[in-house]
Amino acid sequence: MKINWGVGIVLAFVGFIVFILYFVIRMSMDDSANHDLVTKEYYKQELNYQQELDAAESAQKMNAILEVVNEKNGLTIFFPEHFDEKNIEGTIFLYRPSNRKLDTQISIALKEKSIYIPSDQIVAGRWDITVKWTYKGTQFLHKEKITL
């Protein structure tokens, strides 16, 4: 059989289509390529956005800035020195953009001015840390992106 230009072009198109379909099917079935880029309750979080802005603004006004330190054996979050740790309550949310199963929420119960999260609770990689906390009825918010 003699292959002319028309048959060659059709074979090239068919080969390209098969190539693209192979990768589309492979990527849709492969769990390692699954990236959850938004949270589960995205729209509910958007409704609370103004409250988050107010909490972040009150943290700036009252000098309630947290310090997140990446250490060899874990992560330490330091709370402001001028606040009494007995009156601090809240939660720490560790969000992993690449894998929803690794997301962690930790309640804040301080005995010192800091909280330590050991490295066996968090794997290496990129994390979005959100600390929502209250001190004597005033809400504060700290957000930070960190790579461990």
Side-chain angles (χ1 to χ4, degrees):
M1 180 177 160
K2 186 176 177 183
I3 297 178
N4 61 20
W5 284 98
V7 174
I9 290 173
V10 169
L11 288 177
F13 277 127
V14 169
F16 180 72
I17 291 170
V18 169
F19 174 76
I20 295 298
L21 286 175
Y22 166 74
F23 279 107
V24 167
I25 292 170
R26 183 171 173 235
M27 288 297 128
S28 65
M29 302 279 246
D30 191 8
D31 283 338
S32 67
N34 184 14
H35 297 289
D36 302 318
L37 296 179
V38 296
T39 60
K40 204 173 201 178
E41 297 178 348
Y42 177 76
Y43 294 108
K44 185 186 280 187
Q45 284 186 349
E46 285 299 314
L47 293 174
N48 297 328
Y49 188 65
Q50 185 59 45
Q51 293 173 348
E52 289 184 4
L53 289 175
D54 294 341
E57 184 179 339
S58 64
Q60 290 288 331
K61 286 181 182 177
M62 295 184 67
N63 197 19
I65 307 301
L66 304 183
E67 182 182 359
V68 180
V69 177
N70 183 8
E71 299 175 350
K72 287 183 181 180
N73 298 327
L75 188 71
T76 305
I77 301 173
F78 293 97
F79 287 83
E81 288 292 325
H82 58 279
F83 288 129
D84 184 19
E85 64 268 6
K86 296 172 189 165
N87 295 326
I88 296 175
E89 297 175 342
T91 57
I92 300 169
F93 184 66
L94 300 168
Y95 171 70
R96 181 68 180 241
S98 63
N99 189 348
R100 181 183 339 163
K101 295 174 186 171
L102 296 176
D103 292 353
T104 306
Q105 186 165 346
I106 302 168
S107 295
I108 298 173
L110 297 179
K111 295 180 181 167
E112 315 176 332
K113 297 284 184 193
S114 64
I115 188 166
Y116 177 73
I117 304 167
S119 60
D120 60 349
Q121 290 183 4
I122 48 176
V123 296
R126 181 176 173 264
W127 291 91
D128 293 346
I129 301 170
T130 304
V131 183
K132 294 181 179 180
W133 56 290
T134 59
Y135 180 76
K136 295 184 178 178
T138 305
Q139 293 185 347
F140 300 103
L141 177 73
H142 178 85
K143 287 187 175 186
E144 187 170 332
K145 296 177 187 339
I146 192 167
T147 303
L148 302 175

